[in-house]
Amino acid sequence: MAKWQHYLRKRITRRFSSMLLLSLLLILAGAVFVLLSTIQILQKYELRSNEIRTKQELVAEIGDYSNEIILRARGYYVYLNQFEYKKMFEAKKGLEQSIADFKRLEFSEDEERLIAEIESFFTDYFDNLLPGAIALAEKGDYEGLRKFVPSGEENPVNELMLFSKEFEQNVQHIAANANDKLIRDLSFQGVLFIIYVCLVLLLSLYISRRVAIDIGQPLGQLAQQASQFGRGHVIHLEDLEREDELGELARSFNDMMVQIQAKEEELLAQNEELIAQQDELQAQQEELQQVVETLEENEVYLTNRNAFIQALANTLDKQELLDSIINNLVRFSDFDKGILVLLNTNNDYAANGVSAAAADGFIHSIGDSMVVRVTETLEPYKLVRDASDGERAYHEQDIQASDLYVPIVNGQQEVIAVLLLTRIGRTITKHEESEIVSLARQVSLALDKLEMYEETARQRQLTRDMINTIQEGIHFMDMQGETLEVNDKMADFFSFFQKGDQRSRFPLDKLLGELEENVTNTSGLTAFIKSIVAGDATASPSVQYEIKQPVHRYMQLYYEPLYRDGVQFGLLLVHRDITREYEVDRMKSEFVSTVSHELRTPLASVLGFAELLLHRELKPERQRKYIHTIHQEARRLTTLINDFLDLQRMESGKQTYIVEPVELTPLIREVVEIQRMGNEKHRFQMHLNNEACTVLGDQDKLRQVLTNLISNAVKYSPEGGEIGINCNVIRGKAILDIKDEGLGIPEDALPKLFNKFYRVDNSDRREIGGTGLGLAIVKEIINQHKGDITVVSEQGKGSTFTITMPLHVQEEHPADLETAGLIRDSAPTVMVVENDHNLSHMLRDELLTSGYRVELFTEGRHAIEQIQQIKPDVVVLDLMLESGTNGWDVIEHMKKSDLLINTPIIISSAFEEKDKASQWGIRDFLIKPYLPGMLSAAVQRALSK
Amino acid sequence: MKKLLLAEDEPILRMLVVDTLEDEGYSIDEASDGEEAYQYITSGEYDLVILDYMMPKMTGIEIIEKVRQLPGKEQVKILMLSAKSQQAEQEKVLAAGADGFMSKPFSPLDLIDKVEEMLRG
């Protein structure tokens, strides 16, 4: 018993399945039982039915056979057919069979009786009736037959019939009864079955209830306990002893619970730990928070400082830098106002929140302020004081203000600037102070840098100015021949370079291309440049070339390689304008060739004729002629050489002139006399000023001039005519005219007339001969005598040469001029308006020496007042005069006056305002400084117009 | 008689050349400037033309160039007188088309020889 119980207890499934099995078995058993019983019933019924049916059939058969017998018998009676007879006996057999079969069955009493009756009937029938009937029939005694048969037959047959019927009915009853029974049985079975099933169900219910209780309850309990446990109550489990799954579950659950509890305790412990840690973390976080705040503050500070330093780094403009420093300092360091002053000669400063007047005041009083202390100690100094009225604004109570003086010290420990920052109403902390000091270091660096930059810029500008002033073209190329820098002079030489600092780089081929355009025959130049770029040695250290545009120049180019640390980094090309020298050279060589040509010609004739004289027999006239020619040409040669040497000497400045007063009138007469000698063709007419016409100069040279001019007049009027010599004195000048009625000078020759060796290009003049040097010499001498020579001529009519020279005024003490009445009345009056005392006296002396009367004024106002009275012949005017009235005013005044409108004006000024002057019709301009002699010349010119 | 033309602007030198050569029996026409000389050449036939290098209106070289282009005158013999005596000058003159060259100052006897030589060859 225990074993299977144990077995079952172990597993719920087992129990459950066994229970199920049991129920199933029961149900099955029941079903089988029911089935079997039903089968049984049915079988019984079937049997019964069969029986009845068989009975019925048999009865029917009997009936049928009976009928047939009768029938056949009757048939035989009728027909006496063997067939009928056979049939009848068949039927009889059949009947007998049937009755035999019937008898095997169970039958009731009635049935038995019936059957016995039938049997007996038929036995009777066959034994008695039939043969009788047949005998009758065979006899054909139908009458007898009819009498015979019905009597004995009818009854049993009919009875049989009836019985059959009755039997049938019975049978049907029985069948019906059997049916009913069957139904009743089956129903009963059914009911039984239902009852059975109900019992089974009940059983199942009971079982399941048991199971439920057995399983469900403990489960429910466990569940409840679990949830209770879940809620935190402590529970005690039952069912731990059970052997089945629930027991296991309970045990596991218990274990789990135990573990959970254990874990819970652990967790609690951990939780406490965590809480403790959390507290710690909290504390740390707060610490971090503080740190972050501090960092943020620092960040702000650093950003500001950074911005400040950035601002320092960004500008190289002094004022901008100073402004940015003070503005940033004040703003970022939260001061209320401040000023930064450079301790240089300019005292450049920048201020924030300080008016210009206040700033100036501060700067002026720097030497007397706390700045002194700060420059001495090189330390910042803080001063706490009461706020000024302005600083207090509308506050009634007293407010304190703090001033912080900070020195800005450079690398050499010199104070280059001072910073003064003010805070009103709040203090300046030590921390802030040290902040400012560290910023001050930055400021000093920035200022140093600025200074350095300015210095560098100055140097650079100086170098640049120097290079741009040089009259040579400086041209710097890199090793590839690309032009990196050119100076301004190069831009003058070549229009494809621009002046100014921004010059575009010029690759070598572009340069060569441009040169191709601007230089004649560039092959030599190009080859030279290419070889120096390539680093090849050149045939000569320099090359010459010719610029054709914009201005024609002869140029010389030489070059030097540039080295840095022993490595060549570029080429320096120097372009020199040698046009002058070239011209001079050219002129010299032209001159030399002309001279040699000029010399050869007379020499050729001398040699030629001499040779002819030597090698030929000639007639005496011929001989004389030749000798004369030789003599003449030799003389010509001599004159030529002498003239040439004279001219050279004069031009080179080595000619010495004896300066003494020379009376022109007698000199003229002397020269005319000589020229007149042997001259029949010409008439000499002299109109000389009988007053002494005295000039200051070299008598011999003047004689030479006169001789040249008068002999020219003679030579160039080969037909003869009048030669007029006039000498006049006009306004302190000696004017000398020499007029001839000769060939005249063509207009195109006039400008070149006084050039060396120039001779008019006409054959008839060539015949006249001459060196071509005469007029050049004359001009040179006259110029040295501060004079001028001009010519007027009409070709074919004659020429007039005019010499003007300043007269020599024989005065010894110019200072006494105004008082000593030695001034000639006819001397013109010059009004000088000049406010520079030294210059005015110098000009006055000069003009007096030149023989003029001078009226001197230092103020325009006075000049204007007296000008009408004085009526000067010439006015020399300085434009810049002091105190209101300037030169222009004087001019205006003069131009408004009818009397003075035509008076010549000479402007003596430091500025060139020719445009403005020419508007007034003034063309005489002397730009200071100028030689006083030039003023005399200008006055002379003005007067002679 | 051989006909010669002399173009020379210096009258004295003209006289020298003319005297020298006339005495040798040549007939000489005188021109005192380049233009005149050119006129003479084009309008006349000369056995030899003596040209001065430097002349007003037209230089000797210019005359040669022009003459050498005239049909019929290409072959005219030309003797150039020049004050320049260098080899280069001589070559230049001969290259321009002159047939002979003589530098000044010259010896009249040399001139006679030169003229003869040129008339011969």
Side-chain angles (χ1 to χ4, degrees), chain A residues 597 600-601 603-605 607-609 611-612 615-616 618 622 625-626 629 632-633 636 759 761-763 766-767, chain B residues 9-16 19-20 23-24 32-33 54 56 83-85 104-110 112:
Chain A
H597 185 269
R600 272 186 226 265
T601 309
L603 209 49
S605 52
L607 278 173
F609 287 121
E611 211 175 277
L612 286 175
H615 292 279
R616 288 211 184 142
L618 297 164
R622 258 305 180 88
K625 181 169 135 196
Y626 284 3
T629 309
Q632 182 187 302
E633 289 300 288
R636 184 167 142 202
R759 283 156 73 194
D761 236 4
N762 278 336
S763 48
R766 286 301 172 115
E767 286 209 14
Chain B
D9 55 328
E10 280 292 329
I12 309 288
L13 288 178
R14 264 207 308 278
M15 187 165 82
L16 176 63
D19 278 2
T20 310
D23 285 353
E24 295 301 307
S32 52
D33 63 61
M54 289 300 283
K84 305 191 193 174
S85 61
K104 299 192 240 185
F106 52 85
S107 149
L109 301 178
D110 289 339
I112 296 168

Side-chain angles (χ1 to χ4, degrees), chain A residues 527-581:
Chain A
F528 186 79
I529 291 175
K530 280 187 180 161
S531 47
I532 61 176
V533 170
D536 302 332
T538 48
S540 78
S542 68
V543 70
Q544 292 193 3
Y545 63 95
E546 198 180 320
I547 298 179
K548 39 184 190 193
Q549 57 190 11
V551 174
H552 180 265
R553 295 178 203 267
Y554 289 98
M555 304 290 293
Q556 184 193 41
L557 167 64
Y558 73 87
Y559 75 102
E560 286 292 339
L562 289 170
Y563 293 94
R564 191 178 282 153
D565 298 331
V567 177
Q568 186 178 353
F569 69 96
L571 284 165
L572 191 65
L573 280 70
V574 180
H575 301 254
R576 292 180 56 228
D577 185 347
I578 54 169
T579 315
R580 253 292 174 77
E581 293 155 42

Side-chain angles (χ1 to χ4, degrees), chain A residues 101-142:
Chain A
D101 289 336
F102 191 84
K103 276 185 181 172
R104 271 202 288 271
L105 297 175
E106 290 194 12
F107 40 80
S108 65
E109 269 177 37
D110 283 335
E111 287 165 0
E112 197 182 349
R113 189 187 47 86
L114 184 63
I115 291 296
E117 264 189 52
I118 292 176
E119 256 185 323
S120 70
F121 175 73
F122 273 107
T123 305
D124 187 46
Y125 188 72
F126 275 105
D127 289 336
N128 316 317
L129 202 80
L130 199 52
I134 287 174
L136 282 168
E138 279 176 347
K139 296 184 210 160
D141 188 8
Y142 286 110

Side-chain angles (χ1 to χ4, degrees), chain B residues 5-112:
Chain B
L5 172 66
L6 169 67
E8 168 61 65
D9 55 328
E10 280 292 329
I12 309 288
L13 288 178
R14 264 207 308 278
M15 187 165 82
L16 176 63
V17 171
V18 165
D19 278 2
T20 310
L21 294 173
E22 266 181 357
D23 285 353
E24 295 301 307
Y26 298 103
S27 146
I28 305 182
D29 285 337
E30 295 174 49
S32 52
D33 63 61
E35 249 175 40
E36 214 186 314
Y38 187 70
Q39 296 285 8
Y40 273 104
I41 295 171
T42 48
S43 57
E45 290 294 326
Y46 295 98
D47 297 295
L48 179 66
V49 172
I50 303 172
L51 294 179
D52 183 22
Y53 192 93
M54 289 300 283
M55 277 194 291
K57 304 250 178 77
M58 217 190 286
T59 64
I61 294 267
E62 281 170 359
I63 295 176
I64 294 180
E65 282 167 4
K66 279 181 112 158
V67 164
R68 291 297 178 219
Q69 284 170 19
L70 291 174
K73 301 289 179 190
E74 311 90 333
Q75 301 309 317
V76 169
K77 296 203 181 111
I78 297 180
L79 171 63
M80 187 74 97
L81 300 175
S82 172
K84 305 191 193 174
S85 61
Q86 299 98 324
Q87 185 73 12
E89 200 52 42
Q90 220 182 85
E91 282 168 10
K92 183 170 152 193
V93 163
L94 293 172
D99 301 294
F101 178 90
M102 201 138 196
S103 65
K104 299 192 240 185
F106 52 85
S107 149
L109 301 178
D110 289 339
L111 179 63
I112 296 168

Side-chain angles (χ1 to χ4, degrees), chain A residues 587 591 643-655 657 754-756 773 776-777 779-781 784:
Chain A
M587 276 191 355
F591 180 67
D643 282 350
F644 178 61
L645 289 174
D646 269 350
L647 200 53
Q648 281 301 100
R649 233 193 341 259
M650 278 178 224
E651 283 195 343
S652 70
K654 297 208 179 77
Q655 178 67 289
Y657 290 80
F754 295 94
N755 292 354
K756 273 190 286 226
L773 291 174
I777 292 173
K779 183 165 169 144
E780 181 61 32
I781 294 172
Q784 288 296 330

Side-chain angles (χ1 to χ4, degrees), chain A residues 305-376:
Chain A
R305 199 192 156 121
N306 213 36
F308 176 74
I309 291 172
Q310 275 293 95
L312 289 191
N314 275 347
T315 77
L316 288 169
D317 173 82
K318 181 182 274 183
Q319 192 58 47
E320 219 177 285
L321 180 65
L322 293 176
D323 285 332
S324 97
I325 292 171
I326 197 67
N327 288 335
N328 283 322
L329 266 175
V330 166
R331 207 166 88 223
F332 289 132
S333 307
D334 194 25
F335 281 92
D336 296 313
K337 50 185 178 172
I339 186 170
L340 171 66
V341 183
L342 295 183
L343 300 178
N344 57 11
T345 40
N346 280 355
N347 282 335
D348 299 298
Y349 76 93
N352 182 305
V354 176
S355 69
D360 275 337
F362 173 67
I363 289 169
H364 277 112
S365 68
I366 268 190
D368 202 20
S369 69
M370 298 318 296
V371 175
V372 178
R373 176 191 162 129
V374 146
T375 47
E376 284 171 5

Side-chain angles (χ1 to χ4, degrees), chain A residues 222 225-226 229-230 233-237 240 249-267:
Chain A
L222 264 177
Q225 284 173 334
F229 182 66
H233 301 112
V234 174
I235 50 156
H236 177 69
L237 284 174
L240 288 171
L249 182 64
R251 281 191 293 280
S252 327
F253 190 59
N254 197 40
D255 288 338
M256 211 165 66
M257 249 179 23
V258 165
Q259 269 204 7
I260 284 173
Q261 274 173 343
K263 286 261 176 341
E264 203 177 310
E265 278 161 16
E266 226 177 275
L267 275 171

